[in-house]
Amino acid sequence: MFNQYDLEEIRDRARAAFVGMAIGDALGATVEFMTASEIAAKYGTFRDIIGGGWLRLKPGQVTDDTEMALCIARAIVKNQTWSLLAVADNFAAWLKSRPVDCGDTCRKGIRAYLLNGQLESPPNEWDAGNGAAMRILPAVLFSLPDDELLKKYVIEQAHITHNNPVSDAACICLGQLLHLALCGAGKTRLRRQVDGLVTRFPTFTFEPYRGLATGYVVDTMQTVFHWFFRGKSFKECLVGTVNQGADADTTGAICGMLAGAYYGMDAIPKRWLKRMDGKVIAEIEIMADRLITASPAGRRM
């Protein structure tokens, strides 16, 4: 059972995970599709939320990573239960709104739902992108600390667009890491969880680190694991991750949610927080609180 102190700490970590995801998204989007050497030549070490990039974003503007996570969060909070149909409806409405960006696999899966009501994409060996993992945080918060609910929710939302065993493994492992971090586990315990993933799926091996940060979920997670375990602070984890370039908004978002859950709100640099869209951050903080309140952990109090 959680005591009141534990639950308040979990709420703080949940807010930090959601805010950290948005910050990582906004920070990384500026250098998305650049190489590490191109980033170094232009910025030295890139460490500021300035917008721009190939999407010509405003400073602090988020992309599909955060927007799709909010689609899931709103569906859960509105219905006060897990409804895959509500999640898919929100994805569909989001896609119709002409978002600033949407990955090809996400677009394909959402269009299949719009056209024929398909809630589960057929298995596809090529659908091992990071688009399912980047948006799992609301499902993680709502399932805390139930591992079976975690697996059900993260895989069901994933399969709307990504039905692939490597993507599934990444989603489950990331969800379990977030559950552990939210409950205060140390990095040694988190590393054991990742070692278990690598044992089952050796393709996720990240030592030695190959320096790839593409949209392939293996490259994405190797980058996140490398910089999260190497970093000594929220800022250090995130700066290292996004300076790898490539799919930097998504590697940044995933590292941001994990580092946020681990380090908590006080560790997030205030100057980054001030650069973010205030409305987005306000909604994110409300959603994080409501998801924890509705979770098994919140209902036990």
Side-chain angles (χ1 to χ4, degrees), residues 30-244:
T30 303
V31 292
E32 186 180 13
F33 299 138
M34 296 176 70
T35 66
S37 58
E38 286 170 344
I39 295 168
K42 184 171 183 177
Y43 297 104
T45 299
F46 179 72
R47 58 177 79 245
D48 295 307
I49 295 177
I50 59 173
W54 76 280
L55 292 170
R56 296 180 174 84
L57 300 174
K58 299 173 184 175
Q61 185 177 353
V62 296
T63 74
D64 51 339
D65 305 70
T66 304
E67 289 171 349
M68 292 192 81
L70 279 169
C71 286
I72 299 173
R74 291 168 187 146
I76 296 169
V77 169
K78 180 179 179 181
N79 293 279
Q80 286 296 294
T81 190
W82 179 255
S83 168
L84 193 61
L85 188 62
V87 171
D89 281 341
N90 281 2
F91 284 171
W94 170 75
L95 187 63
K96 288 179 180 178
S97 75
R98 297 175 177 264
V100 67
D101 190 27
C102 179
D104 291 341
T105 306
C106 289
R107 187 183 303 275
K108 180 181 70 174
I110 297 168
R111 281 182 57 79
Y113 172 70
L114 280 165
L115 292 170
N116 57 36
Q118 177 180 287
L119 284 169
E120 183 172 15
S121 295
N124 188 330
E125 65 176 306
W126 304 109
D127 288 349
N130 55 24
M134 71 185 189
R135 63 188 191 228
I136 68 169
L137 184 60
V140 172
L141 299 181
F142 185 56
S143 62
L144 187 75
D146 190 315
D147 191 59
E148 291 308 309
L149 285 180
L150 169 72
K151 292 174 182 175
K152 169 182 164 62
Y153 297 163
V154 301
I155 296 305
E156 284 187 359
Q157 69 82 26
H159 284 185
I160 296 174
T161 56
H162 295 67
N163 190 344
N164 177 281
V166 178
S167 169
D168 289 354
C171 288
I172 290 170
C173 181
L174 176 59
Q176 291 170 332
L177 289 172
L178 287 162
H179 270 191
L180 288 166
L182 288 162
C183 293
K187 284 196 178 182
T188 302
R189 176 66 185 89
L190 299 182
R191 180 58 192 264
R192 285 207 307 273
Q193 199 71 23
V194 174
D195 288 344
L197 171 69
V198 170
T199 298
R200 295 188 303 277
F201 290 84
T203 187
F204 284 101
T205 299
F206 64 101
E207 291 180 335
Y209 175 54
R210 298 181 301 152
L212 301 178
T214 74
Y216 177 39
V217 74
V218 171
D219 294 344
T220 296
M221 297 312 299
Q222 286 174 338
T223 294
V224 170
F225 294 153
H226 174 76
W227 291 107
F228 173 72
F229 288 115
R230 184 172 177 169
K232 299 292 192 294
S233 66
F234 177 89
K235 180 181 177 181
E236 201 173 297
C237 293
L238 223 55
V239 168
T241 297
V242 301
N243 275 271
Q244 290 296 144

